[in-house]
Amino acid sequence: MAAVWAAAFPVVSSLGPHRVWGASACVGYLCAAVAVLSWRSLGRAVSVWIAGIGAVLVPLVVLVLTGGAQSEVGVVERAGLLTVRQGTPYLADPQAVVEVTPYLPGMALFGLPGAVVADGWEPLRYLGDARLWCAAAFLCCLWAAGRVLGGRGTGQLVGAALIASPVVALPLAVSGVDLPLTGLLCLALALAARHRPVAAGLALALACSLKWTAWPALAVVAALLAHRAGFGAALRGTGVAVAGTVLAVLPSALLAPGPLVEQVFAFPTGRGEWETPAASPLPGWLLADLGPFGWYAAMTLLAAGGVAVAVSLWVRPPAGLVPAADRLAVGLCTAFLLAPAGRFGYLALPVLLSVWARLAEAPSRVAPARSRVVAAGSAARPVLVGGDR
């Protein structure tokens, strides 16, 4: 199925990087399927690594070396360079849509390596590609989330399969800018599920300083913390998240308030000077395309969807990692579907959240047989009190 899906990209996509990924990934997935059918003992492990090479490693290396990428990679790298030069990632007077930076200031961090090596040795410049640092941040967050969950989360093979899957492999190779956001949200949910409100708030602050689409996670994590650790923990986590986000955004808000509002909020919702390229025929976009009335109708439905999700969190707060991830996924899907501008690719984020949460929690639901025997034996031993030893 993954091979068929990847094979469609060279045929239907108008984007060069997508066609490169589709051709490489299709071959990788087909070879992985052959490996599963040929070697029953080692087929799964071999197939996962073959899929990873074909769907992630090869297209990423080819695209980095040839400079092929979606436009947002260049936007992030320019944001890092502008941050070094002027303290804010926003141009005061952009002359084209590619000069607009529709991200919050935290995203410029992934462009800083490119700014450092911009005038350096030619081969070294490849290390400034923002995709490499976005991928590194994503992988580190998934690893940290697994450690927070007790080391029982996605095993090496399962984790590699998740990364090799189209939902991760495609954005990792061609763009990558949404992966750090996704990884930080996974980490925040894992920390909240393990009653660590301050750490969860810090992870949320980092996510919320990248893109404002992460902001719905504040309500979900607060509800999870309140249910698992009490309202005090929820307030601490939310306070840290809000304070951290404000501190990250404040310098740019003071230096360039107009460009920040215009590029980060007006532009992505279709109200900026430049027309956003995010124009997939989703319900919100179809409504907004009808004119001003349609735009207000889409925004009204978007607000109503947000209120509905907020009410559900109050009435029935999530009790664990999987319900919290599902609730956040529902909220994000609602936002992406009803926003006046969006892409089908945005829906990969909520899908990845739900899939990751299930993979992370699955091993911990059923204890190994040996663990159950040891636990039973321990329970059967008499309890010694006082000086009896």
Side-chain angles (χ1 to χ4, degrees):
M1 189 67 181
V4 173
W5 193 75
F9 280 83
V11 178
V12 303
S13 179
S14 61
L15 300 176
H18 283 210
R19 293 197 296 270
V20 170
W21 178 85
S24 179
C26 179
V27 174
Y29 291 140
L30 288 175
C31 292
V34 171
V36 169
L37 297 175
S38 302
W39 298 290
R40 295 192 175 183
S41 59
L42 299 175
R44 290 186 178 181
V46 172
S47 68
V48 167
W49 292 111
I50 291 176
I53 292 172
V56 177
L57 183 61
V58 171
L60 179 61
V61 170
V62 170
L63 291 172
V64 168
L65 293 179
T66 59
Q70 288 184 196
S71 60
E72 51 261 38
V73 176
V75 170
V76 171
E77 292 173 356
R78 187 192 65 243
L81 188 61
L82 288 174
T83 300
V84 171
R85 291 179 176 176
Q86 64 183 29
T88 175
Y90 309 107
L91 288 172
D93 186 23
Q95 299 300 308
V97 67
V98 293
E99 295 184 354
V100 174
T101 303
Y103 310 118
L104 288 166
M107 190 66 77
L109 291 174
F110 301 102
L112 292 180
V116 172
V117 301
D119 300 323
W121 184 40
E122 182 66 29
L124 192 62
R125 295 181 189 176
Y126 295 121
L127 296 179
D129 194 295
R131 282 170 294 188
L132 301 178
W133 302 98
C134 288
F138 172 71
L139 296 176
C140 287
C141 286
L142 289 192
W143 174 84
R147 298 290 293 177
V148 168
L149 294 171
R152 300 169 301 183
T154 55
Q156 291 183 355
L157 186 60
V158 177
L162 178 64
I163 295 168
S165 67
V167 73
V168 175
L170 173 60
L172 193 153
V174 303
S175 170
V177 297
D178 285 327
L179 292 179
L181 174 67
T182 308
L184 286 167
L185 292 180
C186 291
L187 179 57
L189 289 171
L191 289 165
R194 291 297 181 265
H195 310 170
R196 296 172 64 178
V198 174
L202 289 173
L204 271 182
L206 291 173
C208 292
S209 66
L210 300 180
K211 298 179 71 174
W212 57 267
T213 51
W215 293 359
L218 287 169
V220 176
V221 170
L224 177 59
L225 284 171
H227 183 81
R228 298 294 294 268
F231 285 104
L235 289 175
R236 289 196 301 275
T238 305
V240 170
V242 172
T245 303
V246 170
L247 288 175
V249 176
L250 188 59
S252 290
L254 295 176
L255 291 172
L260 187 151
V261 172
E262 175 71 18
Q263 297 179 40
V264 177
F265 298 101
F267 171 75
T269 57
R271 306 299 284 182
E273 179 181 354
W274 304 97
E275 184 177 353
T276 173
S280 296
L282 297 169
W285 181 87
L286 294 173
L287 278 173
D289 197 45
L290 298 176
F293 176 80
W295 186 87
Y296 284 109
M299 293 301 292
T300 300
L301 290 175
L302 180 61
V307 170
V309 173
V311 170
S312 75
L313 290 172
W314 178 264
V315 174
R316 189 174 181 181
L321 178 65
V322 172
D326 286 346
R327 203 72 62 87
L328 179 55
V330 169
L332 291 174
C333 279
T334 302
F336 295 149
L337 290 172
L338 297 178
R343 289 192 177 115
F344 287 116
Y346 293 166
L347 298 174
L349 194 162
V351 170
L352 180 55
L353 282 172
S354 289
V355 171
W356 168 81
R358 282 163 173 76
L359 293 176
E361 283 287 82
S364 63
R365 290 176 182 168
V366 180
R370 183 178 178 184
S371 299
R372 293 197 297 269
V373 171
V374 172
S378 299
R381 294 174 186 170
V383 178
L384 302 179
V385 295
D388 298 328
R389 298 187 183 275

